[in-house]
Amino acid sequence: MTKKLHLHLESLSAKSPHMYLTPEVWTKAAARHPELAAQLEVTFGWDGKDFAQYAKSADILFASDFPRENLAEVAPNLKWVNVPAAGTENFMPFDWLPDGIVFTNNSGNHHQRAIEFGGMALMALHNRLPEVITNQRNRNWNRIFSTIATDKVVVVLGFGSLGSGVGKAAKMFGMHVIGVTRSGRPNEVADEMYRTGDLRDHLPRADFLVIASPVTPETRGLIGAADLDLMKKGAGIVNIGRAPIMDYDALRQRLESGQIGGAILDVFDPEPLAADSPLWTTPNLIITPHNSTDDVEQYIPRTFDMFFANLARFIDGKPLENQVDRKLGYWVRE
């Protein structure tokens, strides 16, 4: 009988419960993929406790985070690391990852929620809801009117699973979508695609700027005060990517002055956002607590289904989907 592969699932109690890799959720996923599940010996761990014991014989590690020091010695049989997240900046630089070990994420899992949240956010900004809410807090009866959204221009920084999802939502409302990525490769969802280095050329066209990019050396600090000043007066901003991409203090000042008409921020650094942060009382700003594209019911089940699809490739010796580029820090679509 062929020796089973040892899969170790490591959870973090600090995560939201819908992110837990529990035996209960695993059992349901395994029932959907019985033939593949039968080829695995599965163990469960929490918060790194007894990690070395489990890692000693693990072939595959599925974890939100885990001890990485001397991984080649701690886990000599390890061949594949899979994380239940799209963002992998907390794992960079990948100098801890021994050669020959494949690292994958679950990019694509957030796509449908990105369509839904992106559509909601764009319509909220288009209808000036952040300003309406600010007026409500101030007991200010100010009748604000909007027009239709057709032909409004949305610039989306990062056009992977999140960004293309927002792009689809924008197209539903007849908006013009400009995608910005490292490669600038054409995408059927976008009306125009450009390289990251060309972003400044197109910010003046934006009625809305959506940040949906991972944070990398190229994108960290990419959008500062000078970039915000290029935008139309009253333009709107959504960030569902990562906070370090944008200078939030510069954004706050421009929300207070009215140069930027409204913003919806879902990501912060650090998180949770400190109680004394001035962002809490910034006018025309809606704060969501990093919950924009998660799915409390199906996130981990979908992640397990993605894992099983990759497990079939792994067993057959085929290249895995969602392999993270060690230098770039994200999965590069061909």
Side-chain angles (χ1 to χ4, degrees):
M1 180 177 179
T2 304
K3 182 179 179 294
K4 291 185 176 183
L5 294 167
H6 177 191
L7 167 66
H8 179 63
L9 303 172
E10 186 75 18
S11 294
L12 286 178
S13 58
K15 292 281 187 180
S16 298
H18 76 276
M19 292 288 290
Y20 293 167
L21 307 173
T22 64
E24 293 76 17
V25 180
W26 167 259
T27 298
K28 292 178 181 178
R32 296 193 296 273
H33 308 274
E35 293 184 5
L36 289 167
Q39 301 184 55
L40 299 172
E41 183 73 35
V42 183
T43 56
F44 299 85
W46 287 86
D47 300 326
K49 182 181 179 182
D50 300 323
F51 176 77
Q53 172 190 334
Y54 295 121
K56 191 185 321 181
S57 59
D59 299 288
I60 306 169
L61 174 61
F62 192 144
S64 297
D65 203 354
F66 51 91
R68 283 167 253 167
E69 187 174 359
N70 300 320
L71 189 63
E73 298 176 13
V74 174
N77 298 324
L78 192 62
K79 304 172 186 67
W80 173 18
V81 175
N82 183 68
V83 295
T88 59
E89 66 273 10
N90 57 309
F91 292 99
M92 294 183 69
F94 282 92
D95 52 5
W96 56 269
L97 185 63
D99 292 339
I101 297 179
V102 178
F103 188 100
T104 59
N105 66 4
N106 73 347
S107 179
N109 196 339
H110 306 79
H111 185 70
Q112 182 60 37
R113 286 285 295 135
I115 296 173
E116 296 171 2
F117 187 92
M120 178 191 72
L122 288 172
M123 283 299 97
L125 290 175
H126 176 65
N127 289 287
R128 299 169 65 182
L129 188 61
E131 187 177 351
V132 170
I133 292 173
T134 296
N135 287 335
Q136 177 182 329
R137 289 176 184 151
N138 295 330
R139 303 187 183 190
N140 178 20
W141 181 269
N142 181 12
R143 299 180 71 198
I144 296 172
F145 297 96
S146 299
T147 185
I148 61 173
T150 302
D151 296 329
K152 295 293 183 180
V153 176
V154 183
V155 172
V156 184
L157 174 63
F159 218 72
S161 175
L162 293 182
S164 62
V166 177
K168 287 180 180 179
K171 296 300 290 183
M172 292 178 189
F173 299 113
M175 295 181 174
H176 186 86
V177 176
I178 299 173
V180 180
T181 65
R182 179 183 60 87
S183 68
R185 186 180 298 115
N187 186 294
E188 62 182 9
V189 175
D191 296 291
E192 304 173 46
M193 290 290 297
Y194 299 100
R195 294 177 182 271
T196 305
D198 299 323
L199 175 63
R200 281 193 164 196
D201 294 337
H202 303 285
L203 285 177
R205 304 172 60 190
D207 295 292
F208 309 103
L209 169 64
V210 179
I211 301 170
S213 169
V215 62
T216 67
E218 184 181 22
T219 62
R220 184 178 292 274
L222 182 63
I223 300 172
D227 305 284
L228 294 172
D229 287 341
L230 290 173
M231 299 182 68
K232 299 176 182 178
K233 182 175 176 60
I237 289 175
V238 179
N239 191 355
I240 58 173
R242 287 294 185 264
I245 296 171
M246 172 173 281
D247 183 341
Y248 277 6
D249 189 55
L251 173 62
R252 178 181 58 80
Q253 295 173 24
R254 283 149 184 80
L255 284 167
E256 291 176 344
S257 71
Q259 172 60 32
I260 297 297
I264 298 175
L265 303 180
D266 185 61
V267 286
F268 304 88
D269 184 26
E271 292 182 354
L273 182 64
D276 60 354
S277 170
L279 290 173
W280 288 111
T281 54
T282 298
N284 306 334
L285 170 63
I286 292 176
I287 289 172
T288 56
H290 203 155
N291 65 346
S292 61
T293 58
D294 281 350
D295 183 337
V296 71
E297 294 182 355
Q298 293 300 319
Y299 185 84
I300 291 300
R302 276 199 306 270
T303 297
F304 274 136
D305 289 340
M306 294 171 72
F307 165 77
F308 274 112
N310 249 352
L311 178 62
R313 296 184 183 92
F314 181 80
I315 292 172
D316 290 340
K318 297 178 180 179
L320 302 188
E321 294 289 334
N322 283 31
Q323 288 194 47
V324 173
D325 186 294
R326 297 186 185 210
K327 293 182 179 180
L328 298 175
Y330 54 92
W331 174 41
V332 181
R333 289 170 172 80
E334 296 300 331

